[in-house]
Amino acid sequence: MKPLTVCAPLRVEARALRRGLRAASIPDTQVRVVRTGYGPARAAASAASIAASARGAGSQPGLAEPGPGMLAVGGVGGALSADLRVGDMVVASRVSDGSVTVECPSAPLLAGELRRAGLRVTTGPIATVDRLVRQGEQATLAATGAIAVDMESAPLLAAAAGGPAVVVRAISDTPAHPIISPRTVSGGIAALRSLRQAAPVLARWAAAVGPRQVLLASPRSFCAGVERAIEIVELALEQHGSPVYVRKQIVHNATVVADLERAGAIFVDELSEVPEGANVVFSAHGVSPEVRAEAERRNLATVDATCPLVAKVHAEARRFAADGYLVALIGHAGHEEVEGTLGEAPAAMALVESVADVARLRPADSGKVAYLMQTTLAADEASSIVNAIGDRFPAATGPGSDDICYATTNRQRAVRAIAAESDLVLVAGSANSSNSQRLVETAERAGTKAYLVDGAEDIQLSWLAGVSTVGIAAGASAPPAIVGQIVTALGGLGEVQTKDVVVATESVQFGLPKELRQRSGN
Ligand code: SF4
């Protein structure tokens, strides 16, 4: 493999990086640090020489190729954002000197890895300027969107010739603690310490570089129930203004929740946290009758975002319980959907999480046992429990139509299809998302390593080393944009060819609750 070239403008920066590499026993043949000189003119000259050397290498036996198209820039830099502190790392999402702008799409991958290495990291644009920034000039540069500034990165990136490249700058000065002279690195000790710590991470980034095929599981991301639930909160905010309270996470996804919080939604765990008379939305996972009764007692204006397919399971629970059945609910303890469904008929229901739990069922009449399921279960796992119930209670009866919903079933089929052809499967989704977790398990059962990630920053670079085909799936609560961000980030490591693997098409849509429909005119 070609070595990674790390450009360090100053001697102290090069020394810090080399020390970090030595401490991690990373040899020169894997990462070589090149001192490129202070300021844009020297940076441009160094970039030209690195590029020329890269073009010439390879034809000279015995000489290590300096790695055209795989380049890192590492050094100290000045903060433009007030949120940055001395010693923080900035990973450039793009670098611009005003005339040339270079994108660094793999920035989230490197940022996540640096964070896991214990550094405080921010990703954002870096501005390259041709002289030291004077007091008061930071605001003008910050207005361009840049969060940090340096004097070399833009010209140095020319040496990458459009190939994979990253820029990391350890903050040595901030608007509150300005630099005094080019040779005085104020806050330099903290910055150089961070740079040293970052050096081995650059080697991990280089090991993950390479062209890839990306297989996209389809269907993926939002289902009709999740789209409806998000729309309900947005419409409630539009119609009632902020705040609108939401009991529990509207859907189990950190990005969705953060976006709605920014729009004015307040997420609470219990109705006791909601002021008397306020507007409150029940999440897509459903609530028990007890919660509805409490809302009524507290005079809350409620809108129900329970997915109609969850509401269907609630109705089945009520029907079976009213007919005198013991209802075995196959699902996972503690999940909000399970709690809501069990709450429909607590005295007549029992949670069954495994085949072993079936032996513990104690029906008053063994001829009157029914089973229902959490909507987001893995189909193969649930069917073994259904078989065990049938073996023990031959007269057991189930729901009229499958409780595991169409979206769960389709996404599991899709992940199975990509897992068969992938070296690695990444599932976009949050850790508390049941259907996303089941996708990881489904891929693993198909024999492929799989990981759940909330976004590109969660992807560990070691997962990608030596991997040429990556499958990407997304849970029903994961925004489609996350998949796009992951593909873009992988594209920052080398050429990516994407292929959609379609196992089904979906056209399901659910109507809005009538209280919102009337006001919105839909
Ligand atoms: S995963 Fe299924 S049950 Fe859950 S919200 Fe989506 S459509 Fe409804």
Side-chain angles (χ1 to χ4, degrees):
M1 200 186 102
K2 292 167 184 169
L4 166 69
T5 300
V6 181
C7 301
L10 301 180
R11 188 189 304 274
V12 285
E13 295 164 338
R15 196 183 301 137
L17 287 161
R18 287 192 188 111
R19 277 190 184 161
L21 293 167
R22 262 201 309 276
S25 306
I26 294 165
D28 281 6
T29 49
Q30 202 179 329
V31 180
R32 62 167 204 154
V33 178
V34 178
R35 192 185 152 212
T36 49
Y38 172 74
R42 288 192 183 93
S46 293
S49 136
I50 291 167
S53 154
R55 280 193 299 275
S59 57
Q60 302 169 48
L63 275 188
E65 294 179 25
M70 181 168 71
L71 189 99
V73 177
V76 301
L80 296 173
S81 159
D83 296 335
L84 292 172
R85 299 196 306 236
V86 161
D88 283 4
M89 293 302 298
V90 171
V91 178
S93 54
R94 66 170 179 274
V95 176
S96 178
D97 63 3
S99 56
V100 177
T101 299
V102 182
E103 300 290 333
C104 301
S106 69
L109 299 170
L110 181 62
E113 199 77 7
L114 288 167
R115 213 166 275 137
R116 285 186 289 278
L119 288 156
R120 242 177 76 97
V121 186
T122 306
T123 305
I126 289 182
T128 294
V129 295
D130 56 9
R131 60 178 170 78
L132 275 181
V133 177
R134 293 199 194 98
Q135 197 63 347
E137 287 178 342
Q138 286 104 336
T140 314
L141 279 169
T144 66
I147 62 166
V149 61
D150 66 26
M151 294 175 63
E152 299 90 6
S153 292
L156 283 174
L157 284 176
V166 282
V167 175
V168 287
R169 289 286 183 175
I171 296 302
S172 60
D173 58 281
T174 67
H177 297 94
I179 199 165
I180 300 159
S181 88
R183 292 183 199 286
T184 308
V185 184
S186 172
I189 292 174
L192 292 173
R193 196 184 301 127
S194 296
L195 206 54
R196 205 160 56 225
Q197 218 175 320
V201 179
L202 293 174
R204 297 209 281 280
W205 174 81
V209 164
R212 286 188 174 86
Q213 188 179 30
V214 170
L215 303 178
L216 297 169
S218 184
R220 60 181 177 272
S221 294
F222 288 172
C223 61
V226 163
E227 278 182 352
R228 174 180 179 267
I230 294 168
E231 196 183 348
I232 285 172
V233 179
E234 287 169 346
L235 274 176
L237 281 164
E238 206 177 294
Q239 293 179 5
H240 305 292
S242 178
V244 163
Y245 291 84
V246 183
R247 184 184 177 276
K248 307 285 185 190
Q249 291 193 343
I250 184 73
V251 298
H252 286 156
N253 186 270
T255 306
V256 170
V257 168
D259 286 350
L260 290 173
E261 271 175 341
R262 272 191 292 278
I266 296 178
F267 291 87
V268 295
D269 268 334
E270 296 305 336
L271 289 185
S272 55
E273 298 165 57
V274 181
E276 195 88 15
N279 292 293
V280 62
V281 178
F282 294 145
S283 81
H285 307 103
V287 293
S288 66
E290 199 186 324
V291 173
R292 290 181 202 282
E294 186 189 349
E296 215 173 300
R297 269 199 311 278
R298 308 231 12 254
N299 197 26
L300 303 176
T302 61
V303 186
D304 192 356
T306 302
C307 175
L309 300 183
V310 174
K312 165 188 157 281
V313 182
H314 283 220
E316 288 161 345
R318 288 194 297 272
R319 178 170 63 82
F320 279 128
D323 289 347
Y325 281 84
L326 169 71
V327 187
L329 177 64
I330 305 170
H332 295 285
H335 191 278
E336 285 144 38
E337 181 187 325
V338 165
E339 285 172 0
T341 309
L342 288 172
E344 287 291 349
M349 297 188 77
L351 177 63
V352 174
E353 291 190 90
S354 62
V355 168
D357 285 348
V358 175
R360 288 190 272 277
L361 291 173
R362 296 278 175 270
D365 176 352
S366 61
K368 291 211 113 180
V369 173
Y371 62 85
L372 297 175
M373 292 174 203
Q374 187 179 338
T375 55
T376 50
L377 291 185
D380 37 7
E381 192 189 358
S383 70
S384 63
I385 299 177
V386 170
N387 290 341
I389 292 173
D391 288 346
R392 190 167 164 217
F393 307 105
T397 181
S401 60
D402 265 4
D403 284 339
I404 298 178
C405 77
Y406 78 96
T408 300
T409 308
N410 287 343
R411 280 153 191 70
Q412 286 174 16
R413 281 180 56 209
V415 82
R416 219 174 282 125
I418 58 162
E421 296 177 48
S422 303
D423 305 314
L424 164 76
V425 169
L426 300 172
V427 176
S430 289
N432 60 345
S433 161
S434 168
N435 80 85
S436 305
Q437 291 277 15
R438 302 295 84 78
L439 294 180
V440 172
E441 292 164 9
T442 304
E444 283 174 340
R445 271 199 289 274
T448 307
K449 261 203 163 65
Y451 298 98
L452 187 64
V453 293
D454 249 319
E457 292 210 0
D458 287 349
I459 299 170
Q460 296 188 23
L461 292 169
S462 62
W463 301 345
L464 298 169
V467 162
S468 59
T469 304
V470 178
I472 303 181
S477 48
I482 302 282
V483 172
Q485 285 159 13
I486 292 173
V487 174
T488 302
L490 292 178
L493 295 174
E495 195 189 337
V496 159
Q497 289 188 329
T498 57
K499 184 176 142 197
D500 256 297
V501 178
V502 184
V503 301
T505 49
E506 294 177 345
S507 55
V508 178
Q509 282 185 327
F510 298 128
L512 291 168
K514 64 174 180 322
E515 50 278 46
L516 290 177
R517 226 168 36 222
Q518 280 157 2
R519 281 180 179 238
S520 72
N522 289 327

